[in-house]
Amino acid sequence: MNTQIFEMEEHNIDASKLEKAGEIIRNGGLVAFPTETVYGLGANAYDDTAVKKIYGAKGRPSDNPLIVHFAEVSDIEAVAAEMPPRAHELLEKFSPGPLTVILKRNDRIGNTVTAGLDTVAVRIPVNELAREFIRRAGVPIAAPSANLSGKPSPTAPEHVINDMSGRIEAIIAGGECDVGVESTIVDMSCEPPTLLRPGGITLSELRTVLPDIVPDRHILQSVEENERPKCPGMKYKHYAPDAQVVVIEGKIENIRRKIKELIAENSGKKIGVLTVGEYSYSGAEVILSAGGGNKEYAHKLFFSLRRFDELGAELVFAEFCDDEEYGLAVRNRLYKAAGGTVIHV
Ligand code: TXA
Ligand code: MG
């Protein structure tokens, strides 16, 4: 398949290209598009045959449901069985934006999107290209992240082009994603409301509307074989580069001491380090900085994981310091990238 690339900037929208992208969706095709979090791989959420193609293009397990994207909060009612007042309040406060809300669903949405669950995940991205694309399509867009299953989510057009060329009809190439990790997922179909995935909206922001929200324990704990987590995606190894990733967390001086030891112990391997701030390790061939704070870390994380692979790193040590605000989202993605290999120092 020849994949069309529609290149444009968020603040310089090419309406005719988005119209073509919308037409591909109405005709049952797949289009990758930028959002403020990561790139999505979209299909018409009302067309089960089109949605099935998403699973094929990504190599995604069919028991992992998709998020349905809308242009406006008011459009969500089309797929929800009910809109609890607190869910509405949450959406009004943080949407459009990097938030996904789980609601009880109605029959408009098929079983392929929801993987047979009686709930549906809904989200209104704030990225203007995404919203205008959804408006032009004229239907809600079911979309997971636009990476091959298991790979880091794509945060730049070249990531999507690498993973999806030849597999889908079109890619809207609209620059780098601001947030860099996926949306915050809140389950509002249960009591108390539950944080299923930390992301662009932080726990303390959520608590301003939902003081009783509880974080699901699987955010930082791996899922055992016989468990069925509330968010099916939790049980899969995610965001994994080809390199083996090890997270080293604690106080920065302890982290550095430990990484120096580890570099010495693994001297035969091509070693990468993802640093907090700038720091140089002798013996490491690829050093990438994740910036100063966790907001910047989130922005750079997936990009860096892909970069380590491009540069041939075999073993990557990732420094991680604190859990404030964006820290929970970063830590959750790092733990998954490392498949749970975490050293506390
Ligand atoms: O930022 C984002 O959320 C991006 C952009 C493209 O919007 N999308 C994204 O989709 O990250 P994906 O498919 O990579 O992750 C969606 C997660 C999966 O872990 C899935 O299991 C969970 O949402 N999910 C979807 N529907 C659900 C439901 N009804 N109940 C619980 N979890 C659900
Ligand atoms: Mg994903």
Side-chain angles (χ1 to χ4, degrees), residues 193-264:
T194 307
L195 175 67
L196 297 182
R197 182 173 72 183
I201 306 290
T202 65
L203 195 51
S204 51
E205 286 175 304
L206 294 172
R207 286 197 172 116
T208 62
V209 180
L210 304 170
D212 54 338
I213 187 169
V214 290
D216 190 282
R217 71 188 167 87
H218 289 124
I219 289 173
L220 296 176
Q221 272 173 30
S222 15
V223 177
E224 301 301 324
E225 267 201 17
N226 53 356
E227 283 185 301
R228 289 188 60 189
K230 287 191 70 186
C231 185
M234 285 169 166
K235 66 176 180 281
Y236 296 107
K237 188 175 177 198
H238 268 78
Y239 323 121
D242 298 332
Q244 187 196 338
V245 178
V246 179
V247 180
I248 294 93
E249 62 175 28
K251 287 216 173 68
I252 191 69
E253 52 284 5
N254 297 343
I255 293 174
R256 288 178 178 158
R257 194 177 323 117
K258 184 71 193 174
I259 291 180
K260 283 175 195 160
E261 276 171 37
L262 290 166
I263 291 173

